[in-house]
Amino acid sequence: MFDKSKKEPEKAAASAPKAPASKPASAGSSGQTTTIGASITLNGELNGNEDLLIQGQVEGNIFLKEHNLTIGEQGRIKANAFAKTITVRGELTGDLNGLDKVTITSTGRVRGNIVAPKVILEEGATFKGSIDMDAKAVKPAAQPANAKSA
Amino acid sequence: MALFAKPRVSAQVTQPVQPASSELGCPAFASLVEAMESRVEKEDAKFGILDLARASGNHIEFFSRFRCKYHIGDVLAAMESWPVPGEDTPVVDMETLLPLHHANGLDLVLAWDGLNYLHPELLPLLSRHLAARCNRGAWLHAFVYSRGDMPASPLRFDVLSPNRMRCTRITDDMVGAPCPPQRVLESRMPEFRVVQSRLLQNGLQEYLFQISGS
């Protein structure tokens, strides 16, 4: 179901309209980035210990502990997400907890609430909701009890 | 129709009267930032901030210097078309127009130039709606045109520093500005009192209100 984009970055990027759209925000400490492709629809809890790029549709909760989450331009997400950094280039409805930073790029559309010590809205980004800019408030409390590593 | 009701159609002109983008000093805003910093020094405050403009990276970045919960109101462009109490609309539900049920404990409302575009009968309703969510000592910052014409839609404000902003017009169309004097504003917003008022060089009057009883 998931592609390892580290191994085949060109293949993973093929479904995206622009090259930067499928590029993750940054590589995690493990050096791996998993891609959920544009044709994938996922419902439920999503947990992992590596960076994740979502180009498909996800409904549920996303928990990446200390890794980076990128919603690609084709990504359509209805989920609450917790990650080290979160970059939204597509659409997301839900609450975002970014341990370090949340970025909504010029193509990003977010409806929900953000908790992060640093929030960046690029020119053209769309956001409705509230932003809690308080480093003390960001704790990984959202991890589900039955969470398992990917 | 704009605040205190100068008819829009008769006042409409097409000649721009100022550059599309200009910088202005904002001494009352600078005082506000200073007061917030002072409050932080005293009590490590966390602020509830309501920005009536659409989400702006500039605004968010500027206020990220404070521990805060920053609520995006995104109503400035819509305020002009809010329904006015009357036969067709016996009751105006402000919570529908500006949902604040998640925005308890506001310490600052950023109105920018939105009050100029609000129908006069709606200003008391908005004031009451905001005040109900405000903490003791909460501020409201606003720009109100004091003379002549104003752009047909609200300006975009970027904060360059605590005492300097850049305002950008998104339309060249101009309409008559309502130009309510301070006493009229205060009478229509009894929940707030003016703590600072400065006439800026471009004709905007900068107001810093604070919730009454503070």
Side-chain angles (χ1 to χ4, degrees):
Chain A
M1 185 167 73
F2 301 160
D3 301 326
K4 294 288 182 186
S5 60
K6 188 190 175 196
K7 295 172 185 171
E8 296 179 290
E10 296 83 4
K11 193 174 180 180
S15 59
K18 296 173 187 173
S22 62
K23 197 175 174 183
S26 60
S29 56
S30 67
Q32 288 189 318
T33 299
T34 299
T35 299
I36 296 178
S39 67
I40 304 296
T41 299
L42 187 74
N43 287 283
E45 302 284 344
L46 204 162
N47 304 281
N49 282 321
E50 57 195 273
D51 293 353
L52 179 64
L53 166 65
I54 301 176
Q55 292 285 17
Q57 297 179 45
V58 174
E59 288 192 28
N61 293 309
I62 303 166
F63 191 88
L64 289 187
K65 214 175 177 181
E66 293 187 353
H67 292 271
N68 304 310
L69 169 66
T70 302
I71 313 301
E73 280 189 13
Q74 293 173 296
R76 301 289 179 268
I77 313 298
K78 287 183 181 173
N80 300 320
F82 182 94
K84 187 169 184 282
T85 72
I86 301 173
T87 302
V88 183
R89 297 191 172 110
E91 280 184 30
L92 187 143
T93 301
D95 294 341
L96 301 178
N97 277 260
L99 198 62
D100 288 351
K101 186 173 71 173
V102 171
T103 302
I104 306 174
T105 72
S106 59
T107 57
R109 282 172 286 175
V110 174
R111 181 180 285 270
N113 301 306
I114 297 174
V115 181
K118 186 170 178 60
V119 177
I120 297 171
L121 256 76
E122 292 183 0
E123 186 72 33
T126 303
F127 172 67
K128 296 255 188 180
S130 67
I131 301 170
D132 199 331
M133 290 185 279
D134 181 359
K136 295 175 187 174
V138 184
K139 294 173 185 170
Q143 185 167 23
N146 59 350
K148 293 176 185 174
S149 297
Chain B
M1 188 181 295
L3 178 69
F4 307 105
K6 282 192 182 176
R8 169 158 297 225
V9 176
S10 63
Q12 195 152 6
V13 294
T14 53
Q15 285 289 326
V17 296
Q18 56 182 338
S21 181
S22 59
E23 290 188 16
L24 74 163
C26 44
F29 186 83
S31 300
L32 165 69
V33 173
E34 197 175 317
M36 291 174 76
E37 287 169 345
S38 171
R39 197 179 283 185
V40 169
E41 283 175 15
K42 286 177 187 167
E43 54 185 271
D44 190 27
K46 180 176 178 178
F47 298 98
I49 301 174
L50 171 65
D51 188 341
L52 297 185
R54 67 170 305 202
S56 157
N58 169 272
H59 299 174
I60 290 162
E61 185 180 358
F62 181 83
F63 282 98
S64 68
R65 68 184 61 196
F66 299 108
R67 290 177 61 221
C68 66
K69 186 154 190 183
Y70 199 92
H71 304 275
I72 306 296
D74 194 8
V75 293
L76 287 191
M79 284 167 86
E80 190 185 24
S81 55
W82 280 358
V84 179
E87 285 186 7
D88 293 340
T89 313
V91 177
V92 175
D93 181 9
M94 290 302 297
E95 183 60 26
T96 304
L97 300 171
L98 175 58
L100 294 180
H101 55 280
H102 291 308
N104 277 320
L106 295 175
D107 299 290
L108 171 62
V109 178
L110 298 164
W112 309 105
D113 60 349
L115 300 185
N116 298 281
Y117 298 87
L118 195 63
H119 191 281
E121 290 189 42
L122 291 171
L123 189 54
L125 300 181
L126 176 64
S127 175
R128 197 179 315 145
H129 185 53
L130 293 172
R133 301 288 175 178
C134 281
N135 287 332
R136 182 182 169 85
W139 297 281
L140 186 152
H141 181 266
F143 294 105
V144 175
Y145 289 92
S146 64
R147 62 172 186 255
D149 298 325
M150 65 181 190
S153 53
L155 296 169
R156 172 183 147 171
F157 290 87
D158 290 313
V159 184
L160 305 176
S161 71
N163 55 13
R164 197 126 196 103
M165 291 189 193
R166 180 174 52 238
C167 49
T168 305
R169 285 182 11 198
I170 56 173
T171 174
D172 281 344
D173 292 341
M174 302 294 288
V175 296
C179 310
Q182 180 175 325
R183 60 180 170 73
V184 174
L185 278 175
E186 286 181 312
S187 70
R188 290 199 170 267
M189 301 172 63
E191 293 82 5
F192 295 89
R193 62 187 169 87
V194 174
V195 291
Q196 271 202 50
S197 170
R198 303 289 181 92
L199 179 61
L200 308 181
Q201 59 185 18
N202 63 353
L204 279 172
Q205 188 88 24
E206 185 189 20
Y207 284 103
L208 183 60
F209 296 86
Q210 199 161 26
I211 197 149
S212 299
S214 300

